[in-house]
Amino acid sequence: MNDPDMAARQHQERMWVEAALAGDERAFEQLVAAYATPVYNLAYRMLGDPAEAEDAAQETFIRVYRRLHTYDPSRKFSSWILSIASHHCIDRLRRRRHRHVSLEEMPPWKPLVSQAPDPEERAVARDESARLQALLDDLPPDYRLPLVLHYWYGLSYNEICEVTGLSLSAVKTRLHRARLKFADIMRARAPDLIPSAGERRKRAARKAPAEANGVGRAGTADAHRAV
Amino acid sequence: MTCQEAQEHMMGALDGHMPDTERLRFQDHLQLCRECAQTWLALQQVDAVLRAAPMATPPANFARRASRAALETGQRQHRIVGPLLLGVGGLLVSLLFVFSALLSGGSMVAVLTLLLFGQLPGMTEALIEGMWLLLRMVWVAVDVWRTAFWGPLFWPVVALVAFSAAIWLAMTYITLRRSWAAATVR
Ligand SMILES: [Zn+2]
């Protein structure tokens, strides 16, 4: 975890935070550009809906801007921002659960879309990523969050504790149960997504979450290029 | 190794912290126990699928929109502080006005005397004098309130206080409502 790229990025982020606190709007815009994809992806993986994810990600950045003066520079900025995003998503999921009690409040267009007349057409339109997301949506949110933080952001157990505020044993238990449950869901609903043994070995060699440094994988590199 | 131990080791084995000695015992158990071998296979499959899952990317102009929204609500917050201070200040000034109107000219002199007492040579006398005048001032104020309650001054004073309080509340309400609207509307 002491690779020079990561140290340089953390230094850059600290400079942006300082400049933004001093009133430099451009510096804040650069922070947002660097974290747009990681924050959006977290919201999308947690909420499962692109429009709501966008809304939640924007709300996260509004909170980040308001609370920037409370950020402790000795902590990793990525942990801090992911923690704000995680808590906001969990809040939304809680509110949603309460709302589901009354059926009248459900938006009328939702059932119409899911009851589209042609199931084959739907199957084609839904790509592998969307199907994976549908499986993820079936996990309880408490299990989903550690799983998302581990796989999409390469966070260690301890880093997940820092972001979620959970104890180490709770993180381990939830991550383990999330994997077991996800295996059940995948076997029951999308057996074709399960990779063959050869494919699995290739994938494992290509990507290891432990190598990802802090703020997620491909998306961060893209975001930084966009800056 | 028991099945429970094997289950516990699966986490460590997936996330790369499993000592080599344990690894051998773990693998021995998997050879012997069909159930654990199946669970282990399923976990490896989950691991492979999730590792390969891509980052979801937001729409192209998202970062620009999000930073603008954040900066705008931040500025609105700054804009609340001004009117709020103005409102509180207005309230304080009107209250001061009301009270000084109620106080007689003599008690205002007492306040001024108290302010001067540090610079006078006979400090103790000045202090006693000041305290005495202060007590008299309080008494006069109470007396004025008492007579005002029965006299014609009472209702104009109450109306003035109510009026300034209403203006202050209205200003606070309007500024807060504006910032709430900004926070919820995209
Ligand atoms: Zn076993």
Side-chain angles (χ1 to χ4, degrees):
Chain A
M1 277 294 183
N2 44 13
D3 87 78
D5 277 1
M6 190 178 158
R9 204 188 64 219
Q10 286 186 1
H11 177 70
Q12 173 67 267
E13 284 167 6
R14 236 162 257 151
M15 304 272 281
W16 281 336
V17 171
E18 263 175 45
L21 280 173
D24 182 353
E25 296 189 352
R26 181 87 192 97
F28 181 73
E29 282 166 6
Q30 282 175 312
L31 269 179
V32 175
Y35 278 91
T37 298
V39 167
Y40 173 81
N41 178 70
L42 182 68
Y44 176 64
R45 298 299 168 193
M46 287 306 290
L47 303 169
D49 174 64
E52 203 189 350
E54 211 182 307
D55 216 42
Q58 178 167 318
E59 182 59 33
T60 300
F61 286 116
I62 290 173
R63 290 180 184 199
V64 164
Y65 188 69
R66 283 195 191 147
R67 297 181 196 167
L68 206 56
H69 63 280
T70 67
Y71 166 63
D72 169 10
S74 66
R75 281 180 72 187
K76 259 168 133 184
F77 187 75
S78 57
S79 299
W80 186 69
I81 197 169
L82 288 178
S83 160
I84 292 177
S86 303
H87 285 114
H88 181 57
C89 289
I90 294 284
D91 280 351
R92 272 179 185 250
L93 288 167
R94 258 182 219 141
R95 250 179 282 151
R96 194 197 276 177
R97 203 165 48 203
H98 291 310
R99 217 180 299 130
H100 272 218
V101 176
S102 70
L103 282 169
E104 305 88 75
E105 283 183 40
M106 294 271 275
W109 60 86
K110 230 174 184 168
L112 285 177
V113 169
S114 64
Q115 286 163 6
D118 190 354
E120 272 171 6
E121 203 176 305
R122 263 198 301 139
V124 174
R126 273 188 168 191
D127 61 339
E128 209 175 282
S129 168
R131 292 184 60 212
L132 182 81
Q133 185 57 38
L135 303 182
L136 210 56
D137 288 343
D138 275 2
L139 283 179
D142 292 347
Y143 291 2
R144 211 184 310 156
L145 183 58
L147 196 78
V148 170
L149 291 173
H150 181 69
Y151 280 107
W152 274 272
Y153 300 88
L155 298 194
S156 67
Y157 301 160
N158 282 318
E159 286 169 324
I160 297 174
C161 293
E162 204 185 319
V163 168
T164 59
L166 293 169
S167 70
L168 185 62
S169 65
V171 165
K172 280 184 184 170
T173 315
R174 287 182 194 200
L175 190 56
H176 188 57
R177 290 197 185 144
R179 280 162 162 163
L180 290 173
K181 192 141 173 56
F182 194 83
D184 285 345
I185 295 170
M186 193 159 68
R187 203 182 310 127
R189 291 189 32 205
D192 56 302
L193 284 183
I194 298 172
S196 66
E199 208 182 323
R200 212 170 58 233
R201 229 169 286 126
K202 240 190 301 168
R203 280 182 181 183
R206 190 153 44 96
K207 280 179 181 175
E211 285 165 18
N213 46 13
V215 213
R217 305 174 317 215
T220 324
D222 286 342
H224 273 268
R225 231 172 285 137
V227 169
Chain B
M1 185 177 279
T2 63
C3 287
Q4 207 195 325
E5 279 179 292
Q7 293 276 340
E8 280 162 15
H9 278 307
M10 287 180 194
M11 279 283 278
L14 279 180
D15 299 327
H17 16 85
M18 186 192 216
D20 286 342
T21 48
E22 292 296 309
R23 186 176 294 276
L24 287 175
R25 291 180 59 219
F26 177 61
Q27 277 166 354
D28 283 348
H29 181 84
L30 294 183
Q31 295 280 321
L32 298 170
C33 176
R34 208 177 122 76
E35 212 171 298
C36 282
Q38 267 177 350
T39 308
W40 176 234
L41 179 66
L43 285 177
Q44 282 179 297
Q45 288 165 344
V46 165
D47 197 61
V49 166
L50 291 177
R51 272 174 201 227
M55 276 283 209
T57 46
N61 59 352
F62 170 74
R64 183 175 292 271
R65 259 186 295 130
S67 55
R68 201 179 305 142
L71 290 167
E72 271 172 22
T73 52
Q75 278 160 0
R76 285 223 174 73
Q77 269 199 325
H78 286 301
R79 257 177 260 157
I80 295 175
V81 178
L84 213 65
L85 281 177
L86 208 72
V88 173
L91 188 71
L92 286 176
V93 166
S94 58
L95 282 176
L96 198 72
F97 173 74
V98 167
F99 276 111
S100 57
L102 282 173
L103 298 177
S104 67
S107 46
M108 286 309 278
V109 172
V111 175
L112 292 175
T113 314
L114 267 183
L115 289 176
L116 280 172
F117 110 90
Q119 292 147 24
L120 293 174
M123 271 224 238
T124 331
E125 287 94 311
L127 190 66
I128 292 167
E129 180 94 341
M131 292 297 276
W132 176 239
L133 280 171
L134 193 71
L135 276 175
R136 274 197 58 194
M137 182 185 75
V138 171
W139 185 80
V140 167
V142 169
D143 195 46
V144 167
W145 266 104
R146 194 177 56 79
T147 49
F149 191 76
W150 306 109
L153 203 64
F154 180 70
W155 288 111
V157 165
V158 169
L160 195 66
V161 171
F163 180 68
S164 51
I167 284 188
W168 180 74
L169 280 175
M171 278 178 80
T172 314
Y173 177 67
I174 289 168
T175 47
L176 283 180
R177 238 182 77 129
R178 225 178 256 162
S179 73
W180 288 333
T184 47
V185 174
R186 274 206 284 156

